[in-house]
Amino acid sequence: MEREKTKEKRVCSALAPFGTTIFTEMTTLSNKEGAINLSQGFPDFDGPIEVRKAASEAIMRGPNQYCPSIGLALLRSAVADKTKRFYGVNVDPDTQVTVTAGASEGLAATLLGLLEPGDEVILIEPCYDLYPAMIARAGAHAVYVSLVRPGFDLPKEQLKMVIGKKTRAILINNPQNPCGKVFSNEELNWLGRLCRKHDVLMISDEVYEHLVYDGRSHVTLLNFPQFADRVIVISSTAKTFSMTGWKVGYVIASEALSEAVRMSHQFITFCTPGALQEAMALAMNMDDSYYDSLLKGYSAKREIFCNALADMGFEVLWPEGTYYASIDIGTLDFFDDLAFCRYLVSHVGVAAIPSSFFWNERRGGRDLVRFCFCKKDETLTEAIRRLKKWKR
Ligand SMILES: Cc1ncc(COP(=O)(O)O)c(C=O)c1O
């Protein structure tokens, strides 16, 4: 007990309130119980074999030493080429692309490089837990607005009310984890105009950019040249190439904003492993058929998993994007989503994430539970079998 107390005190005051992330907690519990882990968002299969081969060859061949802090020219060019190919946007790989250790470090470098103590950053909840933690570590304050359920609509009036002199940035996640919202063109444009009016930066986490369903296309904030001087887009190879452990991400922004990102990135990780960057350059340059089959595969998993949950009698929130599906447990006999997830992992053998952890005040999502469906078909089938058996 005494030891616990001492340990707690050693965590800086900015981070202490956040504790261990719910993803670590649920994955640890899942491993302990031997459950099927549909909690933390990582696939149970690896990305393309040729990409893995390229990485191992690059490791054997070298160089294996520090590479340029901003990233290998090869990968920065691949990012620029992919941005042109999918979104029709030209970015300069030398001045506008920075390679980071995953989107996580991209977000940290962006927030630490751009925020002043006392600044406010508007977060649109439900939101990824890294955002408030890094905003706090930067000495800034998160100001929350909630998407309006059931459709997860943008709370425009509330946004107009909270934006002000202290606001330095709005941080969005598009497509959005955990609710699967995909921002419409109109919403992005509206946000851009609001930010321009108040001279506020727009940070957009687009790690699920290639997972947008039902024939819709991803619209990146880079698609709005009129806002280019205030936009920072952060993405990652983790989800698109099914290699979440490699942690190769990147930040795209104007030269001036990239300078701020690079300034902090050099002091956080300095650089990202060169061999993995080389392999991810190859991955990004793969032709459209790779991206098509990724989307086709996840679309099929979404259908199978969401339909199965609906057949069991759950109210399912079909995602417009991402590889997460949520259910509403409001009518079930559980205290809240955390109690439900703890029960599920130990009694049913399936791990999920209590969605309330994506809200600042947990009551916002206490009736929602998130499952990830980025799993082999046989894993999903077994998870469905276990859930069905329990539900019966
Ligand atoms: C919304 C969001 N942003 C960022 C990340 C982290 O990305 P990376 O693994 O590239 O650091 C995740 C991972 O789940 C995520 O869901």
Side-chain angles (χ1 to χ4, degrees), residues 19-290:
T20 304
T21 80
I22 191 65
F23 308 108
T24 302
E25 190 182 328
M26 290 316 298
T27 287
T28 307
L29 207 55
S30 180
N31 291 341
K32 189 172 146 237
E33 299 284 353
I36 295 179
N37 191 359
L38 304 188
S39 64
Q40 202 172 4
F42 59 86
D44 64 349
F45 48 87
D46 288 333
I49 183 84
E50 59 270 37
V51 177
R52 285 182 274 149
K53 274 192 185 147
S56 53
E57 277 162 21
I59 285 176
M60 294 318 290
R61 174 181 16 92
N64 287 300
Q65 308 307 329
Y66 297 132
C67 56
S69 177
I70 61 171
L72 294 184
L74 191 70
L75 181 55
R76 284 184 286 107
S77 293
V79 170
D81 291 347
K82 186 175 90 63
T83 308
K84 177 75 181 166
R85 171 162 48 134
F86 285 96
Y87 310 121
V89 178
N90 289 312
V91 293
D92 180 348
D94 292 333
T95 58
Q96 292 185 266
V97 179
T98 307
V99 177
T100 55
S104 305
E105 196 240 331
L107 284 154
T110 299
L111 295 166
L112 296 174
L114 283 161
L115 298 180
E116 298 289 349
D119 279 350
E120 289 181 357
V121 179
I122 299 175
L123 294 178
I124 300 176
E125 46 181 16
C127 67
Y128 191 54
D129 61 355
L130 179 149
Y131 310 157
M134 276 302 119
I135 289 166
R137 187 58 281 199
H141 305 289
V143 173
Y144 297 89
V145 298
S146 298
L147 291 174
V148 185
R149 288 172 61 186
F152 292 106
D153 300 319
L154 202 59
K156 290 183 178 170
E157 287 312 310
Q158 210 192 338
L159 276 161
K160 280 197 264 182
M161 267 157 51
V162 297
I163 200 163
K165 283 203 173 69
K166 287 189 177 167
T167 314
R168 175 76 168 133
I170 290 184
L171 199 175
I172 67 166
N173 178 205
N174 182 29
Q176 185 154 345
N177 175 12
C179 60
K181 176 188 173 66
V182 171
F183 284 71
S184 70
N185 229 316
E186 184 277 322
E187 286 173 324
L188 294 174
N189 207 355
W190 185 90
L191 275 172
R193 279 187 273 116
L194 183 74
C195 288
R196 191 171 51 193
K197 183 174 166 196
H198 293 271
D199 193 18
V200 161
L201 298 170
M202 305 177 80
I203 305 170
S204 184
D205 174 352
E206 302 184 5
V207 299
Y208 300 99
E209 61 185 306
H210 291 287
L211 302 179
V212 175
Y213 305 111
D214 301 321
R216 284 176 72 176
S217 313
H218 174 65
V219 181
T220 167
L221 268 185
L222 299 169
N223 281 127
F224 298 84
Q226 66 274 37
F227 308 133
D229 55 340
R230 62 187 68 255
V231 163
I232 301 123
V233 168
I234 294 151
S235 195
S236 173
T237 59
K239 319 287 177 178
T240 306
F241 302 106
S242 308
M243 240 87 89
T244 57
W246 282 21
K247 285 284 178 185
V248 180
Y250 52 93
V251 181
I252 303 175
S254 69
E255 186 172 345
L257 291 171
S258 293
E259 207 180 303
V261 174
R262 290 171 175 190
M263 189 63 73
S264 60
H265 162 71
Q266 67 179 345
F267 296 124
I268 305 175
T269 53
F270 186 77
C271 66
T272 306
L276 302 184
Q277 288 192 52
E278 221 183 283
M280 277 308 177
L282 181 127
M284 266 190 202
N285 288 331
M286 286 189 299
D287 62 32
D288 290 359
S289 64
Y290 171 78

